[in-house]
Amino acid sequence: EEAPAPGMSAELRATMGDSAVNAAKAVGYEGAGTVEFIFDAETNDYFFMEMNTRLQVEHPVSEMITGRDLVQWQLHVAKGHPLPANQEEINATVKGHAIEARIYAEDPDNGFLPAVGKLHHVRYPEVNGETRVETG
């Protein structure tokens, strides 16, 4: 996962964001969630894929570039409070770039089903205000 999407114009990002908000409004949803699209880089067309009324595992990339705690926001909204900021306010705080990488144990000889085994070596980056490491 990566944010902001490389090579995507601010105009296209805003248009896709509007489409995501409109999808949520169309079903009466208010709160934290995720709308996903499939993007065709050759035509710049995008297509609705799914909407989740929850945060997804990839949410830390958004948190890193906005400085916002989306889990805290989701709990805040669940208690009946309004979102702490609107999309324009969030967009105004976007800075930097974030990439999320996940390591999975899968067996390629068995249809990439989950597998167990020993991890013989791992080295994490130094954690600071610009790096986030989560394990578990």
Side-chain angles (χ1 to χ4, degrees):
E1 302 297 326
E2 187 171 12
M8 183 175 287
S9 69
E11 180 182 29
L12 179 57
R13 185 174 295 110
T15 299
M16 290 178 78
D18 289 343
S19 293
V21 170
N22 289 337
K25 286 180 177 178
V27 295
Y29 182 73
E30 294 182 10
T34 306
V35 177
E36 292 189 39
F37 300 100
I38 296 174
F39 179 70
D40 183 334
E42 291 182 16
T43 65
N44 277 352
D45 290 329
Y46 60 95
F47 306 91
F48 175 81
M49 190 170 78
E50 68 177 357
M51 182 173 124
N52 294 291
T53 56
R54 59 176 167 75
L55 295 176
Q56 292 188 267
V57 68
E58 302 88 0
H59 76 274
V61 294
S62 296
E63 290 183 333
M64 290 298 291
I65 66 168
T66 63
R68 313 287 178 135
D69 184 338
L70 299 180
V71 173
Q72 181 183 33
W73 280 28
Q74 188 172 35
L75 296 172
H76 182 78
V77 170
K79 291 179 182 178
H81 302 290
L83 285 169
N86 64 36
Q87 194 64 51
E88 292 77 26
E89 292 168 327
I90 295 167
N91 290 345
T93 65
V94 171
K95 70 176 189 176
H97 196 88
I99 296 174
E100 178 180 299
R102 294 188 301 268
I103 300 171
Y104 292 98
E106 296 175 337
D107 183 353
D109 296 324
N110 193 19
F112 290 93
L113 289 173
V116 296
K118 291 184 180 180
L119 181 60
H120 294 281
H121 178 78
V122 66
R123 184 174 65 146
Y124 297 109
E126 182 180 322
V127 176
N128 56 42
E130 297 179 353
T131 305
R132 178 173 172 167
V133 174
E134 296 178 359
T135 62

